[in-house]
Amino acid sequence: MYTMQSWTCLFLILCSMQSACHCCDWIRHHFGHLSAEYLSQLDQMGGDITKQNSPVLFPTSLYRHIDDAEFEVKVRFLNETIYQIIQLFDGNMKSVTWDKKNLDDFLNILERQFENLNSCVSPAMKPERRLKRYFRKLNRKVLRQMNYSAEAWELIRKETKRHLQRLDILAGQMY
Ligand SMILES: *[C@@H]1O[C@H](CO)[C@@H](O)[C@H](O)[C@H]1NC(C)=O
Ligand SMILES: *[C@@H]1O[C@H](CO)[C@@H](O)[C@H](O)[C@H]1NC(C)=O
């Protein structure tokens, strides 16, 4: 009976290792590629990045915390951050002057990255609350309070670039 249990246990460990490795392979071969593509579209869709500062502080300590987390936690963090960015870009964009084609490509590639990450590991029991709170604040203090103006969207573009660059570094540390 004991042996049976240990074999089952070993089997389960091997399975979970394998799925993590499959994920690892995918991140190694594809994450950076898509990441370079959407960052380039983000740069090309408008002019220079604004010099103005966002009224919401970048969550540096949260990233530092995730740097030390396990592989699966990192994957979920990548997934959740990209999801939050996609949600942010779902707001009223009547005032933006960005190139429509670049903007569409940017969002499509980001969506692809999200779908791949989402199928990579099983969903978390509890999502990262600090991350959600940060994005809610960004939405409220920048987009809503600045009336979805072109200026507000430039700030969002700046902060998005910063996040996507940081996620790229995070993914690079995962293999
Ligand atoms: C990815 O994020 C979405 C949106 O929050 C969530 O529904 C999904 O369960 C997440 N997937 C993983 C693997 O964490
Ligand atoms: C946003 O719009 C509201 C109502 O139209 C106005 O009172 C407010 O001053 C505007 N805020 C900014 C930052 O333009």
Side-chain angles (χ1 to χ4, degrees), residues 155-173:
L155 276 176
I156 293 297
R157 179 165 162 245
K158 180 182 189 171
E159 293 308 292
T160 297
K161 182 174 178 180
R162 200 163 164 195
H163 280 288
L164 293 177
Q165 284 175 330
R166 193 59 181 79
L167 293 184
D168 194 55
I169 294 171
L170 181 65
Q173 294 165 345

Side-chain angles (χ1 to χ4, degrees), residues 75-90:
V75 176
R76 288 185 194 114
F77 184 81
L78 293 171
N79 171 68
E80 194 61 34
T81 309
I82 290 178
Y83 173 76
Q84 293 291 339
I85 292 172
I86 293 171
Q87 294 291 100
L88 212 53
F89 277 83
D90 202 26

Side-chain angles (χ1 to χ4, degrees), residues 61-174:
S61 69
L62 180 56
Y63 275 99
R64 225 177 276 138
H65 165 74
I66 296 294
D67 279 339
D68 296 329
E70 291 169 42
F71 182 85
E72 296 226 342
V73 175
K74 286 181 174 159
V75 176
R76 288 185 194 114
F77 184 81
L78 293 171
N79 171 68
E80 194 61 34
T81 309
I82 290 178
Y83 173 76
Q84 293 291 339
I85 292 172
I86 293 171
Q87 294 291 100
L88 212 53
F89 277 83
D90 202 26
N92 175 346
M93 284 206 187
K94 286 198 197 96
S95 313
V96 298
T97 53
W98 299 332
D99 184 281
K100 181 86 174 61
K101 169 86 170 60
N102 287 137
L103 174 61
D104 285 348
D105 285 350
F106 167 74
L107 290 173
N108 285 335
I109 304 164
L110 203 58
E111 187 85 35
R112 218 156 79 209
Q113 188 82 293
F114 172 68
E115 280 162 14
N116 286 324
L117 285 167
N118 204 356
S119 58
C120 207
V121 292
S122 55
M125 299 305 277
K126 80 178 157 54
E128 185 55 73
R129 294 242 295 286
R130 269 189 289 173
L131 188 69
K132 276 195 167 164
R133 227 181 300 133
Y134 162 82
F135 275 100
R136 248 202 322 266
K137 210 164 152 194
L138 197 61
N139 196 358
R140 178 163 43 85
K141 290 214 156 179
V142 178
L143 289 177
R144 266 195 273 159
Q145 281 181 19
M146 292 172 76
N147 292 339
Y148 298 89
S149 61
E151 198 188 4
W153 280 110
E154 287 301 342
L155 276 176
I156 293 297
R157 179 165 162 245
K158 180 182 189 171
E159 293 308 292
T160 297
K161 182 174 178 180
R162 200 163 164 195
H163 280 288
L164 293 177
Q165 284 175 330
R166 193 59 181 79
L167 293 184
D168 194 55
I169 294 171
L170 181 65
Q173 294 165 345
M174 289 170 69

Side-chain angles (χ1 to χ4, degrees), residues 14-79:
L14 282 175
C15 279
S16 66
M17 272 167 66
Q18 213 174 14
S19 75
C21 289
H22 161 75
C23 203
C24 187
D25 265 0
W26 180 82
I27 288 176
R28 186 201 323 251
H29 297 300
H30 302 286
F31 189 97
H33 175 63
L34 290 181
S35 174
E37 274 191 54
Y38 50 61
L39 275 165
S40 149
Q41 298 296 338
L42 189 67
D43 268 337
Q44 287 171 42
M45 72 195 195
D48 290 345
I49 296 294
T50 177
K51 297 239 169 21
Q52 209 184 328
N53 285 323
S54 164
V56 184
L57 278 183
F58 191 81
T60 308
S61 69
L62 180 56
Y63 275 99
R64 225 177 276 138
H65 165 74
I66 296 294
D67 279 339
D68 296 329
E70 291 169 42
F71 182 85
E72 296 226 342
V73 175
K74 286 181 174 159
V75 176
R76 288 185 194 114
F77 184 81
L78 293 171
N79 171 68

